[in-house]
Amino acid sequence: MHRRKTDIVTVTGLAALAIGAAAVTRLMNETRNRPPDSAPGRTARQSRFGAYIVAGRTVTIDAPRDRIHAMWREPEQLARFMQDLRAVERGPGDRMTWVIATPGGDARIETRLVEDRHGEALAWRSVEGSDFDIEAKVQLRDAPAGRGTEVEAHVAWRPHWGMAGQWAAKLRRADPRTRGRHELKRLKMLLETGEIATNANQRNT
Amino acid sequence: MRALTWHGRHDVRVENAPDPEIVNPRDAIIEVTSTAICGSDLHLYDGVIPGVAKGDILGHEFMGRVVETGPKSTLQKGQRVVVPFTISCGSCFFCKASLYSACDNSNPVEKQDASEMLYGHAMSGLFGYSHLTGGYPGGQAEYVRVPFSDVGPIVVPDGVPDEQVLFLSDILPTGWMAAENCDIEPGDTVAVWGCGPVGLFAVQSALLMGAGKVIAIDHYPHRLDLARKLGAEVIDFKQTHVLEALMEMSGGLGPDAVIDAVGMESHGFAPDNLLDSAKQRFGMGADSAHALRMALMAVRKGGRVSVPGVYGGMADKFPLGALMEKGLQIRTGQTHVQRYTKELMHRIMEGEIDTTFLISHRLPLEEAARGYRNFHDQQNEWTKVVLTP
Ligand SMILES: NC(=O)c1ccc[n+]([C@@H]2O[C@H](COP(=O)([O-])OP(=O)(O)OC[C@H]3O[C@@H](n4cnc5c(N)ncnc54)[C@H](O)[C@@H]3O)[C@@H](O)[C@H]2O)c1
Ligand SMILES: [Zn+2]
Ligand SMILES: [Zn+2]
């Protein structure tokens, strides 16, 4: 009697497992082999960018494209909305060194400007020897219905210390994804209102 | 300065806090002359709104005198102003569409992450509320830093007493928008759950907008009496079956529009309500949606549902079927205060709207904690508390 019951339990358990496994395989087949859709690649459920993590965000800013472009080309302007940016040093040619405060101390990222189409796109790529292996790109498009400009920024970076490091950074909100999102929103505030919102009641907090 | 601060469930204290300074160019500093306690403050007092931190200064209904202005403020020192509880930039996509409580630029970016996770999008900054809405220090204090002071505050002519215009900061526009969201047609029957300040202003507004009959629902005799004096018929839910009564009082049709001016802390011993409240107590993030459930059941087919009552999270046993099958329309939101201040100021000056009838108690700011306790525990008599610093 007792044994029979166990058998039934085992059999049902195995059957359930089999059904579960079949469902997972079906789901995997369903997500693979699909014709591409219109969404940006970084929003894919399963995406692989090799050793890189890719993140991006689009905001609509009520300002003309060339004005937004200019903000990204001026180190003084960058410092206004990139809060962790300690300094930007211009190097020879199109080289720039960005000094960024990170939880692990200041990081120096030397970049080349790899794309600069006025009012359309800008991209930077870190050079050998930088503290981070990173590429960042900003694209500008007219927003519909006179709403201004759609600003799309994306970053691809090779995480330090693997996935664990990535999670640690995320917890401290110091990962490029969070920073990038915050910076875009600050840029929007600056351009649309002339200031960056803060709940601080004192100037030096 | 002195300010009322939050320290946990049913624990608020008047303490010393540093005086605010001008931080951004469009800021102004207001010296508060009158401030009120709102039903929304009670949700914070009960600890059911997420994202409130120890030491936060509460209060979002306030007015006062301008004492300092940033270089881009359009206010002048000495002016008297009422300040909307919604902080709005005036120039983003949403502000331009008069959706001020959806302003994109007033909620600090670091504060937006949590609300994006919880609601899909971050809403505007609000004074003295949750960190989901910016964690801005509020107006139950001697001084307040008012961002975007060129957009929000409305200047009050000298000679008009504070109490006549104070509620332009929130509950009057809130009651007005609640009624506006009902798209009232002449002769409509409108049912209003809750005879707190918001419900009472909704009753008044619905009648002004041409409703033929307004039915107000609560269980506090004195509050029901205030509604009756405004011209409403009333239902005491402790003595009457609300759904049945509403059908009978609307010719068997059901009200054309319904307003939930109760929100997430519904009273009463209905089974759904008891379960919701228990979950809320244990921090399970559930809103007590009893009044809204009733409203959805009561409203006539194809009717309009307006929800000024505040909800913060999730609700169970929500009658989605009634919403869909009956083809209802639903409109809600934190009030777009700046959209209404001018018009309502005018109506107050013309004597069309009575704003002072609901004030039951006036206390010095120092006694704010007592104000909270009684507005919470003695709702029948304590209908609205005004504090003076
Ligand atoms: N949308 C906005 O911008 C906005 C602005 C202000 C207030 N509010 C919200 O509006 C709601 C009301 O605010 P208030 O200041 O009038 O609060 P309040 O607490 O003074 O009034 C609520 C009233 O609802 C009654 N009530 C409770 N359960 C009920 C039920 N099941 N049926 C009928 N009546 C019931 C209570 O007895 C009380 O009289 C709150 O949720 C508040 O947060 C929203
Ligand atoms: Zn309020
Ligand atoms: Zn705005």
Side-chain angles (χ1 to χ4, degrees), chain B residues 38-40 60-61 85 170-171 384:
Chain B
C38 175
S40 298
H60 58 269
E61 301 181 357
F85 79 98
D170 176 357
I171 48 172
K384 189 75 183 176

Side-chain angles (χ1 to χ4, degrees), chain B residues 219-278:
Chain B
H219 62 123
Y220 291 120
H222 177 59
R223 291 185 172 214
L224 285 169
D225 204 43
L226 289 176
R228 195 185 271 123
K229 284 190 183 127
L230 292 171
E233 299 186 6
V234 301
I235 297 176
D236 172 357
F237 71 77
K238 291 245 167 97
Q239 73 173 268
T240 301
H241 286 294
V242 176
L243 292 183
E244 243 178 88
L246 282 174
M247 280 297 276
E248 296 309 307
M249 293 162 81
S250 58
L253 204 65
D256 301 286
V258 291
I259 297 176
D260 168 5
V262 174
M264 64 196 288
E265 295 186 87
S266 178
H267 306 163
F269 295 108
D272 65 320
N273 205 31
L274 291 178
L275 198 62
D276 286 340
S277 313

Side-chain angles (χ1 to χ4, degrees), chain B residues 80-280:
Chain B
R80 288 172 69 220
V81 289
V82 185
V83 181
F85 79 98
T86 39
I87 304 174
S88 318
C89 78
S91 49
C92 71
F93 172 77
F94 296 98
C95 286
K96 280 200 253 176
S98 294
L99 299 167
Y100 294 99
S101 71
C103 176
D104 255 347
N105 293 325
S106 60
N107 197 344
V109 294
E110 319 79 52
K111 303 287 175 188
Q112 293 189 18
D113 293 337
S115 31
E116 279 191 11
M117 207 131 67
L118 197 58
Y119 303 141
H121 296 90
M123 297 304 289
S124 79
L126 304 179
F127 286 105
Y129 203 61
S130 152
H131 284 254
L132 292 174
T133 49
Y136 280 93
Q140 288 160 5
E142 285 181 283
Y143 297 94
V144 187
R145 171 188 159 238
V146 177
F148 303 126
S149 64
D150 53 326
V151 174
I154 176 157
V155 177
V156 181
D158 279 331
V160 179
D162 275 19
E163 286 182 357
Q164 217 178 329
V165 289
L166 172 61
F167 302 139
L168 284 170
S169 56
D170 176 357
I171 48 172
L172 175 56
T174 296
W176 187 263
M177 183 167 113
E180 198 180 75
N181 279 346
C182 289
D183 287 331
I184 294 170
E185 304 269 333
D188 272 356
T189 299
V190 180
V192 181
W193 273 259
C195 295
V198 171
L200 290 170
F201 277 133
V203 166
Q204 227 185 131
S205 306
L207 288 168
L208 274 170
M209 290 178 197
K213 189 192 285 195
V214 175
I215 306 170
I217 305 147
D218 205 302
H219 62 123
Y220 291 120
H222 177 59
R223 291 185 172 214
L224 285 169
D225 204 43
L226 289 176
R228 195 185 271 123
K229 284 190 183 127
L230 292 171
E233 299 186 6
V234 301
I235 297 176
D236 172 357
F237 71 77
K238 291 245 167 97
Q239 73 173 268
T240 301
H241 286 294
V242 176
L243 292 183
E244 243 178 88
L246 282 174
M247 280 297 276
E248 296 309 307
M249 293 162 81
S250 58
L253 204 65
D256 301 286
V258 291
I259 297 176
D260 168 5
V262 174
M264 64 196 288
E265 295 186 87
S266 178
H267 306 163
F269 295 108
D272 65 320
N273 205 31
L274 291 178
L275 198 62
D276 286 340
S277 313
K279 284 201 235 169
Q280 217 166 34

